[in-house]
Amino acid sequence: MGTASSRSGFDPLGWYSAKLDSSPLITKGLTSAFVAGGGDVGCQWIVQRNKEGFVWEPARTGRFAFLGLCLIAPVSHHWYGFVMSKIPGSGALTIAKRVAFDQLFFAPLFIPTFVTSLKLLEGQSLSSAITQVKESFVSMYTSNLFLWVPAMAFNFAFTPAKYQVL
């Protein structure tokens, strides 16, 4: 006996996987836009949960979705493709090398790029955005390490490469 999706003839995961193979940048871009935009809605709700009523800021969500589509997905797609090609394999040492390479070379460049892009989309001047990045880079990078080192170790260890940048 098959599953409901196989009986109906539609396999959503199979369809998505095929789209990652046939149009990886478009598929990852749309996925990243959805995840970044949805994540922002969730963050807005969490911040406002103790206030009376939820007031959604769609422009803010749009900025995050736009960055997911136009910055995060394409840059990450190419970066992680490069990392996987330069550090092949699947053992613990390989995973550690990938995480170290990612956090020592990619994160210090991508964090300021993302934050500056977000600030510019918010209407701030480039000089103001750069000043804010300079003032908060150490705390942003430190927070990044606490979150992304274990996340990327898990990702590199258990997630097939084509699904890693979504």
Side-chain angles (χ1 to χ4, degrees):
M1 261 201 149
T3 64
S5 63
S6 65
R7 281 183 294 210
S8 69
F10 180 64
D11 175 13
L13 292 177
W15 175 84
Y16 186 74
S17 183
K19 290 296 180 189
L20 283 170
D21 291 334
S22 65
S23 302
L25 281 174
I26 292 169
T27 305
K28 289 176 181 182
L30 293 173
T31 302
S32 183
F34 178 78
V35 170
D40 177 65
V41 171
C43 287
Q44 288 186 47
W45 182 81
I46 289 168
V47 168
Q48 296 181 34
R49 72 180 181 269
N50 293 328
K51 298 178 184 175
E52 286 192 32
F54 171 64
V55 180
W56 175 49
E57 296 179 48
R60 177 181 141 160
T61 300
R63 288 189 291 270
F64 278 93
F66 177 80
L67 288 174
L69 175 69
C70 297
L71 177 67
I72 297 169
V75 170
S76 297
H77 170 79
H78 291 293
W79 170 253
Y80 292 110
F82 172 76
V83 169
M84 300 300 269
S85 72
K86 295 299 178 192
I87 309 172
S90 59
L93 183 58
T94 297
I95 293 164
K97 286 178 183 178
R98 286 181 188 154
V99 171
F101 195 66
D102 183 55
Q103 293 304 307
L104 293 172
F105 298 104
F106 182 70
L109 297 173
F110 191 74
I111 293 167
T113 301
F114 176 82
V115 174
T116 301
S117 299
L118 182 60
K119 297 297 179 186
L120 291 173
L121 289 172
E122 291 172 348
Q124 294 186 24
S125 69
L126 180 59
S127 62
S128 173
I130 290 171
T131 298
Q132 288 180 40
V133 167
K134 285 179 180 177
E135 291 172 352
S136 58
F137 179 78
V138 172
S139 67
M140 287 188 295
Y141 185 65
T142 303
S143 297
N144 166 82
L145 292 172
F146 281 107
L147 173 67
W148 288 109
V149 167
M152 292 310 293
F154 181 88
N155 195 29
F156 289 138
F158 301 110
T159 308
K162 78 176 182 180
Y163 298 110
Q164 288 182 5
V165 183
L166 305 174

